[in-house]
Amino acid sequence: MPKVRPPGEAAPCRDGASLSRPGDVDGMVDRPGLKLGLAGWLTGATVVSRGPLMDLQPSSRQRELIARARHLARERFAARADRHDRDAAFPFEDYADLRAEGFLGLCVPERYGGLGADYETYCLVSEQLAQGNASTALTFNMHCLTMLMMGPIADNMAMPPGQRDRHEALRAAKYREVVEDGAFYGQPHSEPVEQGETDTTLAVGGRRFGTTARKVEGGYVVNGRKFFVSLGGAAPYYATPAIRLGDEPWIERTLYLQIPKDAPGVSFPGEWDPMGMRATVSRDMVLDNVFVADDAEVLPPGLFGAMYNAFPHLFLSFSATFLGLMQAAYDDTLAYLTGRMPGAPAPHTEIAAKGPAIAEMLFALEAARALYYRAISEAQVDAPPEAVQRARAAHVTVQRAVVSVTQEAIRVCGGRAFLKRYPFERYARDARAAALMRPWTQELAMQQAWEAALGSGRAER
Amino acid sequence: MPKVRPPGEAAPCRDGASLSRPGDVDGMVDRPGLKLGLAGWLTGATVVSRGPLMDLQPSSRQRELIARARHLARERFAARADRHDRDAAFPFEDYADLRAEGFLGLCVPERYGGLGADYETYCLVSEQLAQGNASTALTFNMHCLTMLMMGPIADNMAMPPGQRDRHEALRAAKYREVVEDGAFYGQPHSEPVEQGETDTTLAVGGRRFGTTARKVEGGYVVNGRKFFVSLGGAAPYYATPAIRLGDEPWIERTLYLQIPKDAPGVSFPGEWDPMGMRATVSRDMVLDNVFVADDAEVLPPGLFGAMYNAFPHLFLSFSATFLGLMQAAYDDTLAYLTGRMPGAPAPHTEIAAKGPAIAEMLFALEAARALYYRAISEAQVDAPPEAVQRARAAHVTVQRAVVSVTQEAIRVCGGRAFLKRYPFERYARDARAAALMRPWTQELAMQQAWEAALGSGRAER
């Protein structure tokens, strides 16, 4: 998906030897550390090399968005994170900052007034935001995915022309509310196991549709109960999956509906008192004969189910949050041990004893990040099987590494890091959420991975 | 280093929006799995995306070389590997194939008649060769590194013009022997701890120079004892580090000399009877008053030491062998369990019990590969500190993963995989060598990593 570009956009030039501009060195000076390399080139040394090579560096546009996100996270979110965690309170101030920065439109296409970040770029931004407050990043994920699903992902799904025209009109209105009015979305995707029709049609597994939509004149009447609804009661809108009552094939009846927070029949009952990710405020959501108009369709009927099957990289976006969380734990560990963290003790004398654990944390982080970056760089509709396998591998690798790195951060810093005056214990509590989130919980992603490996024969070499 | 290109070569076009060719879709059709994406594009769907993005896909030229290497490995090397392992015999037949394929010149620049593979491309090829016989790949690494050190890496090192001209003339002659006469090189870099001057100047650590070179009229007289000399007695030449006797600074006295196998005073005494990597035939090498002419310089005096400090990615090339070994173990495990391996039992009924271990192997392999690919994509002279940290992370990650994956391959396949009639036990024995090889043994790479992390303050986010 990120690899398809419309006419007029920069064409991918990988393998594009014909795009060569002899003597052009622009591509070089943008990189650090090439001093001697450049010197060698300027003195006439010859380097034999063939065309553009592999590259996991972000583009300059991505770097700009990354820097803006990092600034928000460090200068704004981080200082508030402890309070929102203790109170299990939604970070409205963080969202005000996101809006002021134009980031509510991060994944809104540019022609609708957004910043036009694609899936890969979004993930890189999310990784940064999470370093300030992982809960904020995890809720923001719901909003951005909604924007991407309506936009570039839907564009890459098969759709009859008439349906595409209607979708274009509907999303234009929804994007406008985001860009002009500061609207944002939750995604109440989860329903309790003990209720609902557990799907066996979605290849990704484990998505339940106990929430029904009855077609009526001019719209739908929706009934159901969601749980773990991040931004519960805090977002103006919820992009809500429901199954239309009817006899057609299951996938065709999947709906994705915009439900306003204040619509009659919508409530967010109960408490939210979890171990971590407390500022996500992921309460239950009850839909009791909620009427929404036909125009509430976030995706055309049937596309939600089809998209889950065709673009499982969607679920990988969660991991950006946990990658950022891991980085924050690692950075703060270094800051603590070298005396740079406010309130940290003077540099340790036991540093040689602690060193190997630092290397382990770094290696776990770098392995998880490289695999994650590779996986998001391959995200596209109908990705080849080996790319989907790598996505599963990336997701599980991040899920595990974030637990081990955040736990090690406390252990290696020592007793004081156990205290809530430092952020380490919050990192460790937040990290525990990673492997629990459907549809790619650790077990389900692993099961799909080995079934694919053994069923499909030789995996990609 | 791979990122610097001379005038006339394809310029890097990352961030090169000005290189856009509106409407050009060439860059797309080269990729698999874009059917719906292309369809969406062709039907007028709009995808918002900004310029070239991150990409770990090999170029078409790299894919071509990868395919040729894979063919050699599977169709030629694999069938001979068991015999060479049992006999601890050098795979001369594999080298005849490498020569016939033009691969002795793989890393010889094109203007000298070689295939012009750069460092990154070489690593991708090596990964494939190792899947046929890891010993062959590990010895071939010595030859290819010699070619790269003389060529593109030297080109990116600072060198006075006069020295560069002389180096150009010397390497032209050496490259010619490789391309025209089928010459290849060992690299006797290791010396026993109990002898020799353990270096404290090389940032990479642990390289010993007990071998001395006395300057005489027209050349050098070399004395010393090397061990673990892969291709011992099998290669026509050995690119041999020695320290020139003198009072100048240590680095300036590092020499890298071409020593012919049959030069008077050269011998390869003793036996070679290790656990694994037996076909590398890494015997001792004794140099007893060996005279070589000045023209034997593989690198200008002083450049060997300088290159070790400036291009530590050099050591990462070993890991390509072990990445390939891991892939072979994984692929053969799938082949065994699904009954596709000749002599394997019918498909197991216990597959659900074995599945999770398959997923673990896949995830370990994919994480190691992504990190390794990222690291080699960043290889350049004077790479930034975070790239060197990633190189260390990649190396250690591969060293460990190859042991766990090859051990798990035996365990999950079961008792029969313990027998030498299958390749699994050879894979596991070969794998044990990875973490032992200097200068980046597991401990040394880890120590450097945490010292850099704690010493240099915040690592790259």
Side-chain angles (χ1 to χ4, degrees):
Chain A
M1 185 263 308
K3 307 301 184 192
V4 186
R5 292 170 182 84
E9 292 277 338
C13 68
R14 193 157 186 78
D15 293 342
S18 61
L19 296 181
S20 167
R21 291 186 297 178
D24 187 316
V25 295
D26 283 351
M28 280 191 274
V29 293
D30 197 26
R31 295 176 181 287
L34 264 169
K35 284 184 285 296
L36 259 185
L38 262 179
W41 184 82
L42 293 171
T43 55
T46 301
V47 182
V48 175
S49 185
R50 304 288 310 231
L53 301 172
M54 304 196 302
D55 196 339
L56 268 193
Q57 300 292 333
S59 70
S60 58
R61 167 66 169 169
Q62 289 175 326
R63 281 198 293 272
E64 179 214 322
L65 292 170
I66 285 169
R68 287 165 63 180
R70 184 182 306 196
H71 179 81
L72 276 186
R74 294 191 184 183
E75 305 302 323
R76 316 284 299 197
F77 300 176
R80 305 166 182 150
D82 175 58
R83 179 167 49 81
H84 289 129
D85 171 67
R86 288 180 189 262
D87 299 345
F90 187 77
F92 285 106
E93 305 98 310
D94 294 358
Y95 270 70
D97 286 336
L98 287 166
R99 183 179 180 185
E101 188 67 26
F103 269 30
L104 291 184
L106 177 68
C107 298
V108 172
E110 285 173 300
R111 60 201 172 89
Y112 301 106
L115 297 176
D118 62 8
Y119 177 79
E120 175 184 289
T121 305
Y122 160 68
C123 292
L124 296 174
V125 167
S126 174
E127 179 191 354
Q128 295 300 324
L129 295 177
Q131 295 177 43
N133 185 340
S135 284
T136 302
L138 199 59
T139 57
F140 189 56
N141 185 64
M142 313 301 165
H143 171 66
C144 288
L145 279 197
T146 306
M147 301 299 104
L148 289 167
M149 290 166 77
M150 278 200 290
I153 304 174
D155 289 337
N156 283 277
M157 298 289 297
M159 215 187 288
Q163 194 177 62
R164 202 175 289 282
D165 292 343
R166 174 173 151 77
H167 178 60
E168 180 64 37
L170 293 185
R171 72 180 175 185
K174 293 185 180 66
Y175 281 144
R176 196 175 310 118
E177 275 196 276
V178 170
V179 172
E180 295 179 6
D181 306 334
F184 55 93
Y185 286 70
Q187 286 188 326
H189 284 194
S190 294
E191 303 187 8
V193 175
E194 58 272 22
Q195 68 176 48
E197 171 184 1
T198 298
D199 158 59
T200 54
T201 311
L202 291 184
V204 298
R207 180 57 64 214
R208 292 182 189 82
F209 278 80
T211 296
T212 58
R214 184 163 45 86
K215 187 76 187 84
V216 296
E217 179 69 28
Y220 301 94
V221 173
V222 185
N223 280 281
R225 183 184 193 97
K226 307 284 190 176
F227 71 167
F228 289 100
V229 179
S230 288
L231 311 96
Y237 292 116
Y238 297 84
T240 307
I243 192 81
R244 182 167 56 75
L245 298 173
D247 299 324
E248 299 88 342
W250 192 89
I251 291 246
E252 292 177 21
R253 292 187 288 117
T254 58
L255 299 177
Y256 205 42
L257 300 172
Q258 179 203 53
I259 310 266
K261 176 184 66 172
D262 300 321
V266 171
S267 61
F268 299 90
E271 63 168 11
W272 171 246
D273 193 15
M275 171 188 188
M277 289 293 183
R278 293 171 57 81
T280 63
V281 190
S282 304
R283 293 155 70 190
D284 287 8
M285 177 183 187
V286 171
L287 299 120
D288 181 17
N289 281 315
V290 176
F291 173 81
V292 290
D294 289 329
D295 288 358
E297 288 165 3
V298 175
L299 295 175
L303 205 68
F304 181 83
M307 192 178 282
Y308 258 55
N309 281 337
F311 191 70
H313 283 83
L314 206 57
F315 325 130
L316 198 54
S317 63
F318 293 143
S319 277
T321 291
F322 296 99
L323 195 58
L325 186 55
M326 224 186 304
Q327 183 71 54
Y330 176 73
D331 285 340
D332 284 352
T333 299
L334 295 188
Y336 183 95
L337 291 177
T338 55
R340 285 181 289 106
M341 177 181 283
H348 281 256
T349 52
E350 307 147 334
I351 209 72
K354 291 172 183 291
I358 298 296
E360 299 287 359
M361 291 168 72
L362 174 67
F363 294 172
L365 176 57
E366 290 290 358
R369 174 178 286 126
L371 181 52
Y372 185 72
Y373 282 7
R374 185 177 194 196
I376 61 173
S377 82
E378 295 177 320
Q380 60 179 31
V381 168
D382 287 334
E386 65 270 19
V388 178
Q389 288 286 70
R390 264 194 289 277
R392 294 176 181 126
H395 206 49
V396 173
T397 300
V398 171
Q399 287 172 350
R400 290 168 162 176
V402 71
V403 170
S404 66
V405 167
T406 54
Q407 291 288 336
E408 279 294 277
I410 299 174
R411 191 195 62 74
V412 75
C413 289
R416 278 185 260 197
F418 197 57
L419 305 175
K420 277 184 183 274
R421 84 171 69 131
Y422 300 105
F424 298 107
E425 62 84 36
R426 172 165 49 85
Y427 296 156
R429 287 185 288 106
D430 286 351
R432 186 59 278 166
L436 313 180
M437 297 169 71
R438 287 180 178 270
W440 276 357
T441 63
Q442 185 172 309
E443 297 92 343
L444 291 179
M446 287 191 69
Q447 183 178 25
Q448 289 171 29
W450 67 257
E451 286 179 351
L454 289 166
S456 68
R458 289 171 96 76
E460 175 232 32
R461 281 208 181 227
Chain B
M1 183 264 309
K3 308 302 183 190
V4 186
R5 292 170 182 84
E9 292 277 338
C13 68
R14 191 158 187 77
D15 293 342
S18 61
L19 296 182
S20 167
R21 292 186 297 179
D24 187 316
V25 296
D26 284 353
M28 281 190 273
V29 293
D30 197 27
R31 295 176 181 287
L34 265 169
K35 283 184 285 296
L36 258 186
L38 261 179
W41 183 82
L42 293 171
T43 56
T46 302
V47 181
V48 175
S49 185
R50 305 288 310 230
L53 301 172
M54 304 195 303
D55 197 339
L56 268 193
Q57 300 292 333
S59 70
S60 58
R61 168 66 169 169
Q62 289 175 326
R63 281 199 293 273
E64 179 213 323
L65 292 170
I66 285 169
R68 287 165 63 180
R70 184 183 306 196
H71 178 80
L72 276 186
R74 294 191 184 183
E75 305 302 323
R76 316 285 298 196
F77 299 176
R80 305 166 182 149
D82 175 58
R83 180 167 48 82
H84 289 129
D85 171 67
R86 288 180 190 262
D87 299 346
F90 187 78
F92 285 106
E93 305 98 311
D94 293 358
Y95 270 70
D97 286 336
L98 287 167
R99 183 179 181 187
E101 188 67 26
F103 269 29
L104 292 184
L106 177 67
C107 298
V108 172
E110 284 174 301
R111 60 201 171 88
Y112 301 107
L115 297 176
D118 62 8
Y119 177 80
E120 175 184 289
T121 305
Y122 159 68
C123 291
L124 296 174
V125 167
S126 175
E127 179 191 355
Q128 295 300 324
L129 295 176
Q131 294 177 44
N133 185 340
S135 284
T136 302
L138 199 59
T139 58
F140 189 57
N141 185 64
M142 313 301 166
H143 171 66
C144 288
L145 280 197
T146 307
M147 301 299 104
L148 289 167
M149 291 166 77
M150 279 200 289
I153 304 174
D155 289 337
N156 282 278
M157 298 289 297
M159 215 187 287
Q163 194 178 61
R164 202 175 288 281
D165 292 343
R166 174 174 152 76
H167 179 59
E168 181 64 37
L170 293 185
R171 71 180 174 185
K174 293 185 180 66
Y175 281 144
R176 196 175 308 118
E177 274 196 277
V178 170
V179 172
E180 295 179 6
D181 305 334
F184 54 93
Y185 287 71
Q187 286 189 326
H189 284 194
S190 294
E191 302 187 9
V193 176
E194 59 271 22
Q195 68 177 49
E197 171 184 1
T198 297
D199 158 59
T200 54
T201 311
L202 291 184
V204 297
R207 181 56 64 213
R208 291 182 189 81
F209 278 80
T211 297
T212 58
R214 184 163 44 86
K215 188 74 188 85
V216 296
E217 179 68 28
Y220 301 94
V221 173
V222 185
N223 280 282
R225 184 184 193 98
K226 307 284 190 176
F227 72 167
F228 289 99
V229 179
S230 288
L231 311 96
Y237 292 115
Y238 297 84
T240 307
I243 192 81
R244 183 168 55 74
L245 298 173
D247 299 324
E248 298 88 341
W250 191 88
I251 290 246
E252 292 176 21
R253 292 186 288 118
T254 58
L255 299 177
Y256 204 42
L257 300 171
Q258 179 203 53
I259 309 266
K261 175 184 66 172
D262 301 321
V266 171
S267 61
F268 299 90
E271 63 169 10
W272 171 246
D273 193 15
M275 172 188 186
M277 289 294 183
R278 293 171 57 82
T280 63
V281 190
S282 304
R283 293 156 69 189
D284 287 8
M285 177 183 186
V286 171
L287 299 120
D288 181 17
N289 281 315
V290 176
F291 173 81
V292 290
D294 289 329
D295 288 357
E297 288 165 4
V298 175
L299 295 175
L303 205 67
F304 181 84
M307 191 177 283
Y308 257 54
N309 281 337
F311 191 70
H313 283 82
L314 205 57
F315 324 131
L316 198 54
S317 63
F318 292 143
S319 276
T321 291
F322 296 99
L323 195 59
L325 186 55
M326 225 186 302
Q327 182 71 54
Y330 176 73
D331 285 340
D332 284 352
T333 299
L334 295 188
Y336 182 94
L337 291 178
T338 54
R340 285 181 289 106
M341 177 181 282
H348 281 257
T349 53
E350 307 148 334
I351 209 72
K354 291 172 183 291
I358 298 296
E360 298 288 359
M361 291 168 71
L362 174 66
F363 294 172
L365 176 57
E366 289 291 358
R369 173 178 287 126
L371 181 52
Y372 184 72
Y373 281 8
R374 186 177 194 195
I376 61 173
S377 82
E378 295 177 319
Q380 59 180 31
V381 168
D382 288 334
E386 65 270 20
V388 177
Q389 288 286 71
R390 262 193 290 276
R392 294 176 181 126
H395 206 50
V396 172
T397 300
V398 171
Q399 287 172 350
R400 291 168 161 175
V402 72
V403 170
S404 66
V405 167
T406 55
Q407 292 288 336
E408 279 294 277
I410 299 174
R411 191 195 61 74
V412 75
C413 289
R416 279 185 259 197
F418 197 56
L419 304 175
K420 277 183 183 275
R421 84 171 70 131
Y422 299 106
F424 298 106
E425 62 84 36
R426 172 165 50 85
Y427 296 157
R429 287 185 287 107
D430 286 351
R432 186 59 278 166
L436 314 179
M437 299 169 70
R438 287 180 179 270
W440 275 357
T441 62
Q442 185 172 310
E443 297 92 344
L444 291 178
M446 286 191 69
Q447 182 177 26
Q448 289 171 30
W450 66 258
E451 286 179 351
L454 289 166
S456 68
R458 288 170 97 75
E460 175 232 32
R461 281 209 181 226

